[in-house]
Amino acid sequence: MNMSVVEELTEIVGKHNVITSKERSRPYREGYRSGKGDALAVVKPADLMELWHVLEVLHKNNIIILMQAANTGLTEGSIPASGYDRDIVVVNGMRIKGLQLINNNEQVLAFPGTTLHKLEETLDDVDREPHSVIGSSNIGATVVGGVNNNSGGALIQRGPAYTELALYAQIDENDELHLVNHLGIDLGDTPEEIITNLENRNFDINNVERDDNHVAHMRDYEARVRDVDVSEPTRYNANPKELYEVSGAAGKLATFAVRMDTYPKADASQVFYIGTNDPDVLEKMRRHIMTEFKHLPVSGEYMHREAYDLAKKYGKDSLVVIDTLGTDALPYLFNMRATAERILDHIPTFKPYFPDRMLQTMSHAIPNQLPKRMEQYRDRYQHYLQLKMEGDGIDEARAYLKEFFKTEEGDYFECTPHEAKVAATHRYVTASVAIRLEEVFQDDNLEILPIDVALPRNEFNWFEHLPKELEDKIQYKLYYGHFLDHVMHQDYVLKKGVDAHEVKEEMLKIFDERGAIYPAEHNVGHMYKAAPALVEHYHKNDPTNSFNPGIGKTSTLKYYGNY
């Protein structure tokens, strides 16, 4: 072990915040769904100055830097891989939690450990809303992580997390480390001055100059999402228009802070719960809403009956926890579970994933939590859409749906606040169902294949129909997603003995033929090959390949092997 580096890091952050033990570092080296790798150490700086000094030490010693936030990614992009030509250290920024509201709450400065959930809470107190609402915000996903991955989320009006205003560290083509201040705020010249002035708010927080040339939100997203007649998907990680410095960087820069817009909170909102047996009905509705409505919906979340049923059975305990304790407790509970798994792994009596399997067994005693009207729609229909409107858009949707279902197959009802909350949570917990199935039926060696895909905006036949030879390899299919912008999550639980890689290649060929793009919003991680635009973005941000090498199946070598 390179003890001199560990000792230097310990001097900066303290011995409790440098982890070299394989067991203690496991939560930082293993992915949320899959993947694991080794690291020299995990370092947890407490503030931006400690982060800067950590980067100086790692750069000086020619050590790979893996920036990590909450590690909620689903494609292994924030954990170590293999094939490196240097040691690697994970730099976890979750202790750097500060956020600053600026320009009379119209914008926010978010630091590496600022979670979306904390941002939502803070803005709620001033009647504002954040740029994104994503499912993983419930388990601690960060603002910076979302920007780094162009995370999309559920909000139709705002588009993926995006900004052109950021403070970040970069190693240039001459292998020199710099702190780059593109926040649009005069904070001084040296890294120490910039960091000190930012953390101490040594600037007029309500008079930060606007930059008309650099935005803190996605440009022209409403026009894009309303254009349903083009063959390009609405949004996807590799869109060249959405790659700018830290936006889409996937850890190829060390992001210290991002400047994001916030939005006024609506006075009222309403969720319309829609059911039908004909997927064409939902597509007709989507096209009319996106092209004819004066007021765009807030969101439009889709679920298929099989996903509904599986989430009802294998996500019940999660739903109860969220409904009872709220989302504040989730990050703490996830950490408790990870700790329990780490301890029990050393006891031969316990099979892997014992905490989750115990929770699943206990959930059988919990009464059904889903509202009566949702359950009635489950029996009547196969497809469900949660259409959320706000303000004047509520009456617009109400009038349209009343007329629409006079002639179209299906029906709708207006959710009570409780029904809306449970429906949204039920949709959210669906994302973890495939993992739970894999854990519960581990003796059957079931493999899961999660895919998030952006369908063309003009795709009318959006609902998937697989050839029989593929259907025969699949035990369960979970279809759910952000229907109005055609970004779908499709999780496949394969039958015993079926090779996931083989099925994945067959699936991706089908998506290619349909003009779809994948992954849509989880970024490429170590599971997908990066598109040329992403590779170019990585090389521009990180010419020496010092940050997160190998992402998108690129080279793991210094200078990408081009010495």
Side-chain angles (χ1 to χ4, degrees):
M1 181 180 293
N2 193 337
M3 289 306 298
S4 61
V5 172
V6 172
E7 289 166 358
E8 285 188 82
L9 296 173
T10 301
E11 286 184 6
I12 298 168
V13 303
K15 65 179 181 179
H16 295 297
N17 297 304
V18 179
I19 305 171
T20 56
S21 160
K22 280 189 174 292
E23 288 304 310
R24 286 186 58 220
S25 67
R26 176 177 162 182
Y28 306 92
R29 297 184 295 100
E30 291 190 357
Y32 181 69
R33 267 185 175 162
S34 63
K36 61 182 177 179
D38 293 324
L40 175 66
V42 175
V43 186
K44 302 167 64 179
D47 54 40
L48 296 180
M49 193 67 77
E50 285 190 3
L51 173 57
W52 174 249
H53 292 319
V54 164
L55 296 180
E56 287 182 313
V57 169
L58 298 179
H59 172 247
K60 177 185 68 177
N61 287 278
N62 193 33
I63 290 176
I64 292 171
I65 301 163
L66 176 54
M67 298 300 301
Q68 184 186 79
N71 194 19
T72 60
L74 302 182
T75 55
E76 306 175 10
S78 57
I79 58 170
S82 59
Y84 301 126
D85 57 350
R86 298 147 284 164
D87 284 330
I88 183 169
V89 165
V90 177
V91 182
N92 184 280
M94 291 304 293
R95 295 178 67 213
I96 312 174
K97 296 183 179 298
L99 69 86
Q100 300 175 6
L101 296 179
I102 62 174
N103 287 341
N104 299 304
N105 307 322
E106 293 180 359
Q107 291 187 313
V108 62
L109 297 174
F111 294 172
T114 304
T115 65
L116 261 172
H117 181 66
K118 180 62 177 178
L119 177 59
E120 289 171 17
E121 279 190 329
T122 303
L123 291 177
D124 189 57
D125 292 337
V126 295
D127 291 324
R128 304 286 292 184
E129 293 181 340
H131 59 284
S132 298
V133 173
I134 60 176
S136 56
S137 64
N138 288 329
I139 55 174
T142 63
V143 177
V144 166
V147 171
N148 257 233
N149 292 297
N150 285 144
S151 296
L155 300 184
I156 296 300
Q157 302 164 357
R158 297 169 197 169
Y162 179 84
T163 187
E164 296 170 358
L165 301 167
L167 175 68
Y168 58 88
Q170 180 181 40
I171 297 174
D172 67 18
E173 62 275 10
N174 297 317
D175 203 13
E176 295 180 355
L177 176 67
H178 303 276
L179 187 66
V180 180
N181 179 15
H182 284 174
L183 283 172
I185 306 172
D186 185 3
L187 296 169
D189 299 317
T190 69
E192 289 74 17
E193 287 176 336
I194 293 168
I195 292 170
T196 299
N197 288 329
L198 175 61
E199 291 193 318
N200 295 331
R201 304 190 187 192
N202 293 332
F203 58 95
D204 188 346
I205 64 171
N206 288 322
N207 193 30
V208 177
E209 185 177 352
R210 298 281 185 168
D211 185 344
D212 294 335
N213 296 317
H214 296 94
V215 298
H217 65 276
M218 183 60 63
R219 287 184 175 89
D220 305 320
Y221 191 73
E222 179 171 339
R224 189 197 311 177
V225 78
R226 283 185 179 275
D227 189 355
V228 300
D229 293 320
V230 299
S231 59
E232 184 184 15
T234 307
R235 59 178 171 90
Y236 54 97
N237 295 119
N239 189 336
K241 297 176 183 177
E242 298 168 6
L243 303 174
Y244 188 93
E245 296 182 351
V246 301
S247 293
K252 300 297 283 181
L253 297 168
T255 307
F256 280 55
V258 291
R259 180 174 164 186
M260 308 289 293
D261 288 332
T262 70
Y263 300 84
K265 183 183 293 184
D267 293 332
S269 64
Q270 178 63 55
V271 173
F272 298 88
Y273 197 89
I274 298 160
T276 182
N277 287 307
D278 185 354
D280 290 353
V281 167
L282 293 185
E283 184 59 25
K284 290 177 187 176
M285 184 187 302
R286 182 185 84 93
R287 288 171 175 267
H288 180 91
I289 289 172
M290 304 313 285
T291 58
E292 302 297 332
F293 270 29
K294 180 179 179 181
H295 306 280
L296 274 181
V298 176
S299 60
E301 293 297 287
Y302 167 80
M303 287 185 74
H304 181 256
R305 178 187 281 169
E306 187 169 13
Y308 180 105
D309 289 345
L310 289 170
K312 177 181 174 181
K313 183 174 182 180
Y314 295 100
K316 187 193 296 183
D317 54 304
S318 296
L319 189 149
V320 169
V321 168
I322 295 170
D323 196 36
T324 305
L325 301 179
T327 55
D328 287 352
L330 284 184
Y332 175 72
L333 293 174
F334 272 90
N335 286 334
M336 283 184 59
R337 184 186 67 178
T339 300
E341 286 181 354
R342 188 173 72 245
I343 294 170
L344 294 174
D345 271 356
H346 294 288
I347 305 175
T349 307
F350 294 97
K351 292 182 179 180
Y353 310 114
F354 175 77
D356 266 4
R357 291 186 293 108
M358 180 184 67
L359 288 171
Q360 182 59 41
T361 300
M362 293 172 60
S363 72
H364 297 322
I366 301 174
N368 179 21
Q369 300 295 302
L370 300 181
K372 181 178 179 180
R373 290 198 289 182
M374 283 177 60
E375 290 286 75
Q376 290 172 341
Y377 268 48
R378 182 266 166 218
D379 293 338
R380 292 169 58 189
Y381 305 115
Q382 297 182 49
H383 306 275
Y384 323 107
L385 181 69
Q386 300 170 38
L387 180 68
K388 184 176 182 179
M389 305 296 300
E390 63 184 12
D392 293 338
I394 297 172
D395 286 338
E396 185 176 21
R398 184 178 288 134
Y400 168 71
L401 292 173
K402 183 177 180 180
E403 288 299 313
F404 183 77
F405 282 111
K406 285 181 179 179
T407 57
E408 297 291 345
E409 191 273 336
D411 205 351
Y412 74 98
F413 64 85
E414 297 188 26
C415 291
T416 66
H418 176 69
E419 287 173 330
K421 178 185 176 184
V422 174
T425 305
H426 185 58
R427 155 65 184 87
Y428 158 68
V429 302
T430 309
S432 62
V433 167
I435 303 172
R436 176 63 64 85
L437 284 164
E438 185 181 39
E439 293 169 348
V440 170
F441 298 104
Q442 59 185 274
D443 290 342
D444 293 336
N445 295 314
L446 297 181
E447 291 195 71
I448 61 173
L449 178 59
I451 298 177
D452 61 299
V453 59
L455 303 175
R457 278 173 271 171
N458 65 353
E459 174 66 87
F460 195 93
N461 299 313
W462 61 275
F463 188 70
E464 183 175 73
H465 295 282
L466 295 173
K468 186 177 184 303
E469 57 269 24
L470 261 181
E471 285 278 6
D472 290 343
K473 298 177 181 179
I474 299 170
Q475 187 77 32
Y476 303 110
K477 294 179 295 186
L478 291 92
Y479 294 145
Y480 56 100
H482 316 300
F483 179 69
L484 295 182
D485 55 11
H486 265 191
V487 173
M488 306 301 294
H489 296 273
Q490 302 185 172
D491 296 346
Y492 308 91
V493 180
L494 307 181
K495 291 181 178 178
K496 184 176 181 179
V498 173
D499 182 86
H501 178 74
E502 179 183 306
V503 173
K504 180 179 178 180
E505 293 303 309
E506 294 179 61
M507 288 285 187
L508 298 186
K509 287 179 183 177
I510 293 173
F511 288 134
D512 289 339
E513 291 169 359
R514 296 175 67 189
I517 294 180
Y518 49 83
E521 61 182 10
H522 288 156
N523 218 317
V524 292
H526 290 293
M527 298 178 69
Y528 296 91
K529 184 178 180 179
L534 272 178
V535 174
E536 181 181 353
H537 189 51
Y538 297 160
H539 283 219
K540 182 178 181 180
N541 278 339
D542 182 24
T544 66
N545 205 18
S546 297
F547 291 94
N548 204 8
I551 193 79
K553 298 188 181 296
T554 56
S555 172
T556 58
L557 306 179
K558 188 76 177 276
Y559 285 101
Y560 302 92
N562 299 320
Y563 289 97

